[in-house]
Amino acid sequence: MRTLALLAALAAGLPVPAGADILVATRSVRGQTILGPGDVAVIEGDVAGTLIAPEEAIGQEARVNLYAGRPIRVTDVGPPAIIERNQIVTLRFQSGGLVIAADARALDRAGVGDALRVMNLASRNTVTGFVAPDGSVVVGASMKP
């Protein structure tokens, strides 16, 4: 299996010098799939911007389709989405003791800590905030949840 993954990396034109490790997909994985231990493997290689340990990918969601034997880049995985596109979410602004909340429509999928564009349903204005662990979207002075 290691040789097959190494050959796939070479065929893709990726540099694979000895001595370093990279993380590759063991099978084709569709985007929006949560990665498990059987979905990733470590092979020898050195490709900038790729994951190097299985712990970095296991439990994360594939943001794009992953292909067997190809390196998994840092941007290919992320926290599992808790907000779906077109879902109605609570939009919160917090500053000191002041909290303003409104309903908004999510314009994309996102996980905890991700930036997300939403449309305020009352004003029809589009704003960007960060997804909080409770599924709300925080905007304003204290944007990071």
Side-chain angles (χ1 to χ4, degrees), residues 13-135:
L14 300 172
V16 187
D21 291 334
I22 59 172
L23 197 65
V24 298
T26 57
R27 64 180 182 87
S28 292
V29 177
R30 293 185 62 153
Q32 302 181 5
T33 301
I34 305 298
L35 298 174
D39 296 327
V40 297
V42 176
I43 65 167
E44 286 185 18
D46 187 17
V47 179
T50 60
L51 300 178
I52 58 172
E55 301 80 38
E56 296 174 307
I58 295 172
Q60 298 292 313
E61 180 181 85
R63 297 285 169 98
V64 297
N65 291 338
L66 304 175
Y67 298 99
R70 292 209 182 146
I72 301 173
R73 297 176 308 207
V74 174
T75 57
D76 290 346
V77 297
I82 62 170
I83 296 177
E84 296 294 326
R85 180 177 169 84
N86 289 325
Q87 180 178 335
I88 303 301
V89 297
T90 300
L91 180 61
R92 283 187 324 185
F93 171 83
Q94 297 179 23
S95 181
L98 175 67
V99 177
I100 300 172
D103 288 336
R105 181 176 304 279
L107 300 179
D108 208 349
R109 299 178 80 246
V112 174
D114 288 342
L116 177 66
R117 287 182 348 113
V118 296
M119 180 182 65
N120 182 322
L121 294 178
S123 68
R124 300 282 190 208
N125 287 331
T126 301
V127 296
T128 300
F130 289 92
V131 178
D134 66 358

